[in-house]
Amino acid sequence: MTAAEPFDPEIECMAPEARRELQEQRLHHLVDRLLQTANLQGDRLREIGVTRGTDVSLDEIHLLPTISKQDLWDHYPFGLQLAPREEIVCVHGSSGTGGRPTLIPYTARDVEIWAEVMARALRGAGATRNSIVHNAYGYGLFTGGLGVHHGGLKLGATVIPMSGGMTERQVRLINDLRPDVLCCTPSYALRLADDLEETGIEVGVFGAEPWTEEMRQEIERRLGIRALDIYGLSEVIGPGVACESLDSEGLLNIAEDHFFPETVDGELVFTTLTKTGMPLLRYRTGDVATLHEPAGRRTLRRMSKLKGRKDDMLVIRGVNVFPTEIEAVVLDLANSPHYLIVEDRRTTTAQLHVAVESTQDIAGALQVRLKERLGVTCRVHVLEPGKLPRTEQGKAQRLARWSQGQAPIDGLT
């Protein structure tokens, strides 16, 4: 596939100086809205002496207070909502951790923005009005399925709303309908590859979990497609916050006219410049990535693939380890996408177990490579193919924490 034309050239190819002026205008409007309410974010702005939107600028945005997921939990369900109840048209969110869900109210304008940025993402990946988009992201509170759906309709493509699971039916429809675009998690793309042969699919748009360059190569090899990364989270809008295009050189174009990006100590921070239901000023995402300058025709800033999440980072005997670093070694040496990392904290000295499926005796070599990459010793367990659970609903389980009781999988001691 060749480099795709932008969906909205006026915005995606705007002069950076003009975009920055637009961003600042939208920031002023956002701050004014927050100050007009008794919302937590407005209170925090008043506490530092901000009285109107023009008191702040993009150059000074780093001085403003941040908002966190804990704040969303503390004000559950809709304590940070700004739009009137009658303007809310839908709610999305995630299950959260420890039983604490995160719910995000959307106005009709928010849904329009979501459709727009997702249409940009699909167009950048090479989709057109003539495309058939096989959408295997889950539908429901999770934003993945409906995000792709809204964007595909906005683009004018034909969307197959498969949702997750039912792998046999997924394979049947891919073979029958011959889509040229596949959308799902990278883990599920590899699950589909187990049962698919030549498909006619040209490109895949994969996200909802961190994945490595090594996994990209594995997907492209097994499915014979171009594999692109997409990023988003419900608190900001859903998928479409950023996405690779065919010419973005392995980085993701950020829809920064709507979502102003920063990094704080490596963590992505976004300000939703145009959302109306529940806008967030400097939301700390928990995702670890880097920001980069534009490249190619699009003048949008870019971000790297996620290195991981701050809450997934493991500290093993004083060494910081991201699961994606382990994945890179496993895919390179074992050539297997089926693995599980187990953080063993049954004693005061943490241990790392890495279980991987393989028909070869690679335990010793894998242990050496992991020690070289991570700086810590891992206990490697090589299992027969089929011993680890397969993903049928999208995200594969890559990490388990073991503090007491039975091991997460058989064979660990």
Side-chain angles (χ1 to χ4, degrees), residues 38-233:
N39 186 287
L40 170 69
Q41 296 182 92
D43 291 342
R44 289 180 176 175
L45 287 170
R46 284 185 285 270
E47 287 172 2
I48 63 170
V50 176
T51 61
R52 59 186 181 276
T54 52
D55 285 347
V56 300
S57 67
L58 289 177
D59 291 333
E60 298 172 322
I61 195 171
H62 65 282
L63 301 176
L64 300 179
T66 60
I67 201 84
S68 69
K69 181 159 285 192
Q70 185 64 53
D71 293 317
L72 303 186
W73 289 334
D74 290 345
H75 294 81
Y76 175 85
F78 302 129
L80 299 184
Q81 178 178 312
L82 254 65
R85 169 64 187 84
E86 60 270 18
E87 293 183 13
I88 302 302
V89 299
C90 64
V91 174
H92 284 283
S94 62
S95 59
T97 58
R100 296 176 294 182
T102 303
L103 297 179
I104 311 298
Y106 289 63
T107 64
R109 175 56 181 153
D110 295 336
V111 175
E112 290 174 6
I113 292 169
W114 193 11
E116 176 190 325
V117 297
M118 272 305 308
R120 292 185 201 175
L122 292 170
R123 185 70 187 95
T128 69
R129 290 180 57 85
N130 296 321
S131 289
I132 297 176
V133 179
H134 185 94
N135 185 11
Y137 284 111
Y139 281 64
L141 277 179
F142 170 61
T143 52
L146 281 166
V148 172
H149 194 100
H150 292 319
L153 298 186
K154 180 79 170 179
L155 181 62
T158 300
V159 180
I160 310 302
M162 277 301 304
S163 194
M166 301 180 295
T167 300
E168 184 177 346
R169 184 179 294 181
Q170 302 258 8
V171 170
R172 173 65 183 269
L173 285 184
I174 288 172
N175 287 329
D176 289 350
L177 300 180
R178 311 296 290 180
D180 54 309
V181 181
L182 171 64
C183 296
C184 61
T185 66
S187 299
Y188 195 58
L190 287 172
R191 172 65 187 90
L192 290 171
D194 290 339
D195 297 325
L196 285 171
E197 296 180 0
E198 197 283 322
T199 64
I201 298 172
E202 297 182 35
V203 67
V205 180
F206 306 126
E209 59 187 12
W211 53 300
T212 59
E213 288 296 329
E214 289 79 6
M215 184 174 280
R216 186 206 300 273
Q217 293 166 14
E218 181 73 2
I219 292 171
E220 291 183 339
R221 181 185 69 82
R222 293 183 62 188
L223 285 174
I225 64 174
R226 181 79 179 271
L228 302 180
D229 197 0
I230 188 168
Y231 171 77
L233 61 169

Side-chain angles (χ1 to χ4, degrees), residues 14-27 57-61 256 260 273 301:
M14 177 183 286
E17 300 79 10
R19 180 180 295 112
R20 190 165 180 84
E21 182 178 342
L22 175 64
Q23 290 170 325
E24 191 142 288
Q25 291 172 357
R26 290 176 168 177
L27 174 63
S57 67
L58 289 177
D59 291 333
E60 298 172 322
I61 195 171
E256 58 170 328
F260 184 80
L273 296 172
R301 278 189 291 172

Side-chain angles (χ1 to χ4, degrees), residues 284-320:
R284 300 192 69 135
T285 65
D287 294 320
V288 178
T290 55
L291 297 178
H292 299 262
E293 291 303 307
R297 182 177 176 187
R298 291 171 176 83
T299 57
L300 301 161
R301 278 189 291 172
R302 299 171 297 160
M303 58 175 272
S304 67
K305 290 174 68 67
L306 294 188
K307 184 175 182 180
R309 286 193 52 80
K310 296 196 77 170
D311 52 10
D312 279 346
M313 185 180 74
L314 309 174
V315 182
I316 307 298
R317 298 185 291 282
V319 178
N320 296 341

Side-chain angles (χ1 to χ4, degrees), residues 225-246:
I225 64 174
R226 181 79 179 271
L228 302 180
D229 197 0
I230 188 168
Y231 171 77
L233 61 169
S234 57
E235 298 93 318
V236 176
I237 198 70
V241 174
C243 189
E244 281 186 82
S245 58
L246 294 172

